Amino acid sequence: GLESPSLVRRLLDVEANPAKPSYEMASEAALVLQDCEFGNLELGRTVRNMWEVTKVLEARWETHAVAAERARDALDSMGGGTEVRWTDVERFVEQIAREKRRKEQKRTQKPTTDDGAIQRALEGRAPQSSMISWGDAVNVIRDVLGAYPHPPSGSGQGQKGQTESSVHVPIMERSKGTTYEEKVRSILNAGGDGTNGKSTKRKARYEENVIKKRKTAEEDRAFYDRMLSQGGSSTS
């Protein structure tokens, strides 16, 4: 990965890092809930309910399976049945590398993209003829640039604003948003003289939500105490 696993621990330390760095959440598509339990709760299942759920899931599976096979067939057909010029592959790689080097120079003043290494890599992968299959061309581009037409799930490439030439900026070095405390101070201090109607309304809504939150916490405690007294499980 591009970040150390210790990053999670650092982000959860709100004392050292009270503001959230700029980043997008990874796609949830690869997350699968395999199993879960609910303590003393007994779930009732009927044949009719199970039958209806199975119908829905099988129909959904068929739709996605057919779509996946059609896409796979199109990719295989392009990869093995289409050829492109090797000189075009070289130009594409060099263009992306040049753009990436420009971005690295702008961010760190020390570009890490090595033109010589890229040129040597291309020379080592050059085909015997002037043409190359698209499948082989994609492999060359991936190996030389580390770029994918569709990135692996969870990677940054492919997200909003990300391109083949994007340069990874370590999360802890990115700009940070406003902290919760700063937002609260801004709400409480704005429109104190009553001249700013919008700010005054925001302050009133904040104070109203604080009261609601306090009431909700008290109601939650009362609910779980009642559940515990009836034999349910406590969250504490």
Side-chain angles (χ1 to χ4, degrees):
L2 298 174
E3 299 282 351
S4 168
S6 63
L7 172 68
V8 177
R9 194 179 308 111
R10 296 174 65 188
L11 289 174
L12 292 175
D13 185 353
V14 294
E15 294 295 331
N17 300 289
K20 172 184 173 294
S22 175
Y23 66 87
E24 291 189 33
M25 296 293 290
S27 171
E28 75 285 357
L31 296 177
V32 178
L33 176 60
Q34 185 67 28
D35 192 17
C36 60
E37 296 182 2
F38 296 94
N40 298 328
L41 182 62
E42 291 290 338
L43 297 178
R45 301 178 180 89
T46 67
V47 171
R48 172 58 63 184
N49 289 340
M50 295 297 290
W51 182 261
E52 294 300 325
V53 171
T54 300
K55 286 166 58 178
V56 171
L57 293 178
E58 286 193 354
R60 185 182 302 171
W61 175 85
E62 180 181 33
T63 298
H64 291 303
V66 171
E69 285 301 315
R70 291 173 61 185
R72 182 75 266 170
D73 181 69
L75 288 170
D76 291 342
S77 177
M78 289 174 55
T82 306
E83 291 189 332
V84 294
R85 294 186 180 278
W86 173 249
T87 52
D88 198 16
V89 174
E90 289 180 308
R91 280 195 296 269
F92 180 82
V93 170
E94 290 166 356
Q95 177 185 3
I96 297 302
R98 185 164 54 250
E99 181 66 17
K100 189 172 184 178
R101 184 172 62 253
R102 184 187 65 80
K103 293 178 180 180
E104 291 172 339
Q105 179 74 29
K106 182 178 180 181
R107 193 182 77 84
T108 65
Q109 307 300 318
K110 294 180 180 180
T112 59
T113 303
D114 187 341
D115 286 346
I118 289 177
Q119 191 60 43
R120 289 190 295 273
L122 287 172
E123 291 173 355
R125 302 290 293 273
Q128 297 298 319
S129 66
S130 62
M131 304 296 287
I132 183 174
S133 72
W134 176 239
D136 289 341
V138 170
N139 290 335
V140 170
I141 296 169
R142 179 196 62 202
D143 296 342
V144 174
L145 287 177
Y148 297 79
H150 179 73
S153 179
S155 68
Q157 186 190 330
Q159 294 180 351
K160 183 179 180 181
Q162 295 290 318
T163 65
E164 292 81 3
S165 62
S166 292
V167 175
H168 176 70
V169 179
I171 286 182
M172 298 309 294
E173 296 180 14
R174 300 180 187 180
S175 60
K176 295 179 172 59
T178 307
T179 66
Y180 173 77
E181 290 76 11
E182 290 171 339
K183 291 179 179 179
V184 170
R185 283 198 298 270
S186 175
I187 291 174
L188 296 179
N189 294 334
D193 56 0
T195 57
N196 190 326
K198 186 175 181 180
S199 298
T200 302
K201 289 180 180 179
R202 289 179 62 197
K203 181 177 180 180
R205 282 200 304 269
Y206 169 76
E207 293 173 342
E208 181 182 351
N209 288 333
V210 169
I211 296 174
K212 287 182 178 179
K213 186 175 181 180
R214 188 181 304 124
K215 288 183 177 180
T216 300
E218 294 170 353
E219 291 169 353
D220 286 346
R221 281 195 297 271
F223 170 78
Y224 286 114
D225 287 342
R226 187 169 65 256
M227 289 289 292
L228 186 60
S229 67
Q230 296 175 357
S233 58
S234 173
T235 59
S236 60

